[in-house]
Amino acid sequence: MFLTRLVYASTIEQGFDLSTVEEIISSARKHNSALDVTGMLCFDRHYFLQCLEGSRTNVNAVYQRILNDKRHSSIIMLDYREVSARDFSHWSMGYIPSSSLTAPLYLRYSGASEFNPYHMSGESAYQLLLDLKNALPTIS
Ligand SMILES: Cc1cc2nc3c(=O)[nH]c(=O)nc-3n(C[C@H](O)[C@H](O)[C@H](O)COP(=O)(O)O)c2cc1C
């Protein structure tokens, strides 16, 4: 089974709060563990950026569920490719609080000092997630 990685960005719909994030993470962890899908979700007040990795079939199944979720909109795939190894293998879905997203990080990976994943290349968005993972080794 091919190992693949998908990175997408989306816009948070109004009415979103911390309990919504908790619901998303909890159902993501339940479904992703069953499908051996791993990854990372990061967000601020406006946008989500998520990376999913796993078999081609399972990553696509999870992505299709996510596409139908009304809690976000303007979902755009930034990158999809076959990969030789996972980078988030310990996390059925790690999540990064917005406080970890800092201006120097935005500047490193995009042309502006505000977090806007729509302005990042797929590669930059993925590298940002990797940097965040490495900066926060204790979250799960
Ligand atoms: C930004 C975002 C990321 C999500 N990530 C995942 C995910 O990685 N895996 C997953 O199964 N569901 C994810 N979901 C939730 C799905 O869209 C869907 O609500 C959920 O899988 C339904 O499962 P449930 O009925 O068991 O809660 C995500 C939703 C949003 C808005």
Side-chain angles (χ1 to χ4, degrees):
M1 277 230 252
F2 294 113
L3 186 59
T4 61
R5 182 177 74 223
L6 188 157
V7 180
Y8 76 84
S10 64
T11 301
I12 295 177
E13 279 294 303
Q14 282 183 353
F16 187 86
D17 58 19
L18 204 59
S19 68
T20 314
V21 177
E22 281 163 7
E23 271 169 42
I24 289 172
I25 295 296
S26 141
S27 70
R29 287 184 173 159
K30 180 179 72 184
H31 293 296
N32 296 1
S33 307
L35 295 171
D36 291 325
V37 167
T38 49
M40 163 87 82
L41 175 69
C42 108
F43 60 92
D44 72 347
R45 283 178 304 128
H46 304 291
Y47 306 113
F48 285 116
L49 174 63
Q50 189 176 27
C51 166
L52 299 165
E53 51 188 22
S55 77
R56 184 165 63 194
T57 311
N58 290 351
V59 164
N60 273 284
V62 170
Y63 186 55
Q64 282 169 46
R65 229 193 339 248
I66 290 171
L67 286 176
N68 288 322
D69 197 312
K70 300 282 177 271
R71 291 172 287 194
H72 60 168
S73 59
S74 306
I75 304 164
I76 185 160
M77 192 189 294
L78 302 182
D79 192 42
Y80 177 69
R81 62 178 71 188
E82 288 170 9
V83 290
S84 52
R86 293 175 195 252
D87 287 303
F88 303 99
S89 49
H90 298 303
W91 295 341
S92 55
M93 190 44 62
Y95 102 86
I96 300 284
S98 52
S99 56
S100 317
L101 290 162
T102 61
L105 261 185
Y106 308 144
L107 272 178
R108 182 174 167 128
Y109 292 111
S110 73
S113 59
E114 284 179 9
F115 177 59
N116 186 336
Y118 293 97
H119 292 171
M120 290 179 194
S121 68
E123 183 62 22
S124 291
Y126 162 70
Q127 290 294 336
L128 169 68
L129 289 170
L130 265 189
D131 262 22
L132 288 167
K133 179 193 92 165
N134 294 334
L136 293 172
T138 53
I139 66 167
S140 62

